[in-house]
Structure formats: structure tokens, C-alpha cells
Amino acid sequence: MRESRYWILSLGAAVCLVVLLGIHLSIMHLDTLLAYLGVVNADPLHYQAVMARGRSGGWVLAYILLLAFGLYHGLYGLRSVLSEVVSPTGQRLLTWAVVAVGFIAFTWGTYVVIKSSLMGGV
Amino acid sequence: MANFRIQRYDPEKDSRPYFQTYEVPVEQGMSILDCLFYIKERLDATLSFRASCRMGICGSCAMYINGLPRLACETQATSLATDTIEVRPLPNYEIIKDLVVDLSPLFEKHQRVRPWIIPYELEELDRPTKEYVQSPAELEKYLQFAYCLKCGLCLAACPTMATDNEFIGPQALAQAFRYNSDTRDGGDAERIAVVDTLHGLWRCHMAGACAEVCPKGVDPALAIQLMKREAVFGKKKERARLVDPRCGVTPLPGIPKAPEPTVKRSEGKR
């Protein structure tokens, strides 16, 4: 595939990350700010809240998508940086190493999210 | 009088480059190349450098002068406004001797992007029968990039080249854009396949140093950015029309008849 396609995918992943991370940040870390603005949520780190998100299909999907987009965007950037310093003979190895790391991390992360969901919540 | 601090290095004799200083009586109007010729002719005949046209056309005398890649023939010694002038070989190239560097990577990468017109009709490449018509506006799209001398200054200035030898480089990328923008050319797909790679277009960090140092005012950084856009969104390209060559034109009054060709074409040969 042409490099521009990988680059567009990276940009697309970045846009999705902005949306997903925005949701994540506003719910998990900006609850005080939201409360100040009049949006009062229960403590997102409370056991019941965590369990509820783990059981929710929408949250499971959001976690998996966040993982996929984050891994793709981050590993594409890492490959771009490392490709400048890796020798020409090591370029193919670099690409495969990045793909392997991404695949393992995605499989592991997805397993954790789904397993937790099946167990009734994180 | 100016002190010329020149980097010397002969790979067959020296273990590492070193500097040698020469005193040159600089006068108004003397270029750095004139000063180097003065040194070679009167002070040290062993100094090696490359030069040819002496007027900024051939691009042979590209060097690293007082911290910037420049053409020695186009750089006036007095314009540097200093008594100490340091001359080094171009960075990002292997040194052959003293100020002479190996430009083979430049030419190899230049060749890789197929820097020639690849016509839509291959028959026209081998046996041209007609003429292409190109408007001034169509010419304007690539004209500045056609001024490239292949001097290699842009590659010497490029910070990406300094870290990534595989990078195709601003010169070749600008030439790929130049031919892709030519309405007579139909080789876009072939060139995009070469430049739309990890070490092609996408390796450019847009430092813009290539455009800063180009002695002909070519802006390779602009070409790279425009070609990135084409690689992502595609490009609708106008095709130059093929028309019958004009013949039997009546010359204007007062214009003498052209002399007969001195070499006769033999029958059957083109």
C-alpha cells in the first residue's frame, strides 16, 4: 500500500482519538469541571460506576476503538521516527516489529476488556 | 586580504579532515571561486575543487561557505563581510578529495523519479509525428522547477538527508513534481509509486532549507507539499494536445532563407 494511505489512516485515527479521548477525559478526569458547569455525574471511579461501564456494550466498543486508534496512531509515528535511524536493511524488520507489537498489544487489550465485560464489569 | 580556512582531506593520505589557511588579496568583484583559483594557481596546487562554467549555470562549484551551502562562483568574497572565510565540502555527501564530493547519490535519486517526459502515446516517444501544444499558463505550473541545476545544494542543506540516507531528497522530489505537472507527460503513476513511500514525500519535515539555499530560486519544499496533496487527493491533469507540425510557413519579409543543412539525412533514416 502507498505510504499516503497509511498517513491518511493515521490522520483519521487522530480525529477519532480526539473524539474518544475527549469523552474519556470529560467523564473520567474533568468531573469536577463538569460539576462546576452544572453537569453532576456520580464518581466515575466508584466501584459501581466502573462495573456499569464494563458491562455496557457501548463502553466496551469505545474502549476497543480507543485502543485500536491509539495503537495505530502511536505505532505509525514510532515507525516513522525509527525509520530515519534504522539502517536500510533493517527497514522491513522494523515494520514487522511495529506490526507485531501492535497486534500483541491490541489482542491483549481487547482480551482484557471483553473478559472483564463477560465477568460482569471491570 | 582575507584568510581562507579551507578543509583539506585526501582519503588516501589523511586519517581525518583538517583545515589549512591561506591569505588571499581579495578585491571587489572577486568570487569565492576566483579566490580558490588564486590559491590553486599561486599558493597551493594540491587543492582540489570542482568548477566549470563560472557563472552559476553548471552547478559544479557547490560548497559549504561560511556555514551555508552556496555556489562558489555566485558568492562574492566581499559580500560575506568578514576577513575569515571558511570553505568546506558540501555536507551529506562523501568526500572524494578536499572540496570535491561524490554526487552519485544525487544523480541516482534524480534518475529514480524518471525525470523525463513520458508521453501518453508511447509511439510519440520513439517516433514523434506531431507537436505538443502547451499554453503559457500550463508552462508556468512547472517552470520554476525546471530551473534546477542539479548542483546538490538542497541535499546538503536538508536536515532530513543528514539523518536519513535513504530519503529521496528535495532535488529528486521537486523534479518528480516538475514532470508530473507537465501536460505533455503521462508518467504520474510511475513517479508517485517511487515517491509515495516511507523515504519519499512523507520523510520531508518541511524545514524549508532546500528552498533557502537554491541558487536558482527553485522551491523544492513547495513542490513536496503540493505533491503530498496530489498523492492523497489525486490529481486531474490536463493533457497537452497533439497537433500536426507547422510546415510550409512563409517567412516574414526581410528574413533571409535558412541555409541548407550541412549534413544530409540518408534515406530511410530518421
Side-chain angles (χ1 to χ4, degrees):
Chain A
M1 191 159 71
R2 276 162 46 179
E3 193 62 25
S4 53
R5 304 288 182 264
Y6 295 120
W7 186 74
I8 291 174
L9 284 176
S10 175
L11 283 193
V15 172
C16 295
L17 277 176
V18 168
V19 175
L20 289 169
L21 281 175
I23 295 169
H24 169 82
L25 269 175
S26 58
I27 291 176
M28 302 298 293
H29 303 288
L30 302 178
D31 49 326
T32 317
L33 181 65
L34 288 177
Y36 180 75
L37 294 172
V39 183
V40 181
N41 283 332
D43 179 11
L45 296 179
H46 191 274
Y47 179 75
Q48 294 302 334
V50 174
M51 289 290 282
R53 283 200 303 275
R55 280 193 301 271
S56 156
W59 274 107
V60 168
L61 182 66
Y63 284 139
I64 292 174
L65 287 177
L66 185 60
L67 178 67
F69 293 136
L71 278 174
Y72 182 82
H73 189 76
L75 289 173
Y76 176 77
L78 181 69
R79 169 176 167 263
S80 298
V81 172
L82 291 181
S83 68
E84 270 189 37
V85 289
V86 169
S87 69
T89 50
Q91 296 287 329
R92 189 175 287 266
L93 180 67
L94 169 70
T95 300
W96 281 111
V98 166
V99 169
V101 168
F103 181 75
I104 292 168
F106 181 71
T107 308
W108 196 357
T110 308
Y111 169 78
V112 170
V113 173
I114 292 175
K115 182 79 174 172
S116 307
S117 175
L118 294 175
M119 286 167 65
V122 178
Chain B
M1 197 67 80
N3 288 317
F4 270 72
R5 216 171 153 256
I6 299 178
Q7 181 175 313
R8 307 293 311 268
Y9 179 55
D10 182 350
E12 291 179 2
K13 292 181 190 164
D14 308 320
S15 58
R16 59 172 58 185
Y18 63 96
F19 282 94
Q20 201 163 346
T21 305
Y22 304 93
E23 281 198 341
V24 179
V26 172
E27 291 171 16
Q28 193 71 30
M30 276 179 89
S31 67
I32 296 296
L33 187 60
D34 292 331
C35 299
L36 291 175
F37 274 119
Y38 178 91
I39 294 169
K40 188 162 179 77
E41 287 165 5
R42 303 186 188 203
L43 305 177
D44 187 349
T46 65
L47 178 67
S48 295
F49 55 91
R50 204 186 262 135
S52 184
C53 74
R54 308 182 190 206
M55 53 184 179
I57 297 295
C58 71
S60 300
C61 62
M63 298 168 194
Y64 198 65
I65 301 163
N66 271 14
L68 267 185
R70 317 176 206 234
L71 291 184
C73 67
E74 280 202 332
T75 308
Q76 290 290 308
T78 49
S79 74
L80 298 171
T82 173
D83 289 340
T84 306
I85 297 168
E86 191 177 276
V87 186
R88 296 162 67 177
L90 286 181
N92 302 340
Y93 295 96
E94 294 286 323
I95 301 173
I96 294 175
K97 186 173 180 283
D98 297 337
L99 303 173
V100 182
V101 293
D102 182 8
L103 292 172
S104 334
L106 167 80
F107 299 128
E108 187 272 318
K109 286 167 182 171
H110 179 61
Q111 218 170 5
R112 224 190 283 171
V113 300
R114 299 168 183 262
W116 57 82
I117 301 282
I118 303 171
Y120 292 100
E121 295 85 4
L122 284 179
E123 183 68 15
E124 284 297 314
L125 180 66
D126 298 329
R127 292 175 175 276
T129 56
K130 297 184 175 181
E131 283 179 0
Y132 286 105
V133 178
Q134 197 167 56
S135 70
E138 288 168 342
L139 171 70
E140 198 62 38
K141 284 181 186 168
Y142 67 82
L143 186 59
Q144 72 144 307
F145 305 106
Y147 290 142
C148 173
L149 301 178
K150 289 88 185 169
C151 62
L153 288 181
C154 51
L155 268 73
C158 176
T160 308
M161 282 303 305
T163 55
D164 184 4
N165 284 336
E166 291 297 296
F167 178 42
I168 294 180
Q171 189 275 336
L173 290 171
Q175 291 312 294
F177 180 76
R178 175 255 176 272
Y179 284 95
N180 275 6
S181 307
D182 196 316
T183 50
R184 297 167 295 177
D185 181 88
D188 302 42
E190 291 175 47
R191 286 189 203 97
I192 284 289
V194 175
V195 301
D196 190 2
T197 56
L198 186 58
H199 296 278
L201 288 173
W202 305 97
R203 186 53 57 233
C204 170
H205 297 314
M206 194 55 197
C210 49
E212 288 284 322
V213 300
C214 180
K216 289 292 157 188
V218 178
D219 189 348
L222 171 69
I224 295 170
Q225 299 313 308
L226 291 174
M227 205 155 45
K228 277 181 182 172
R229 189 168 69 183
E230 288 174 10
V232 172
F233 298 111
K235 179 183 175 185
K236 196 179 173 193
K237 188 170 168 181
E238 299 289 325
R239 276 193 190 189
R241 280 182 304 118
L242 270 171
V243 297
D244 289 320
R246 290 197 297 174
C247 54
V249 177
T250 314
L252 292 170
I255 295 177
K257 190 173 177 289
E260 289 299 314
T262 51
V263 179
K264 300 283 182 194
R265 244 185 218 165
S266 57
E267 282 300 315
K269 273 193 171 178
R270 293 190 64 86

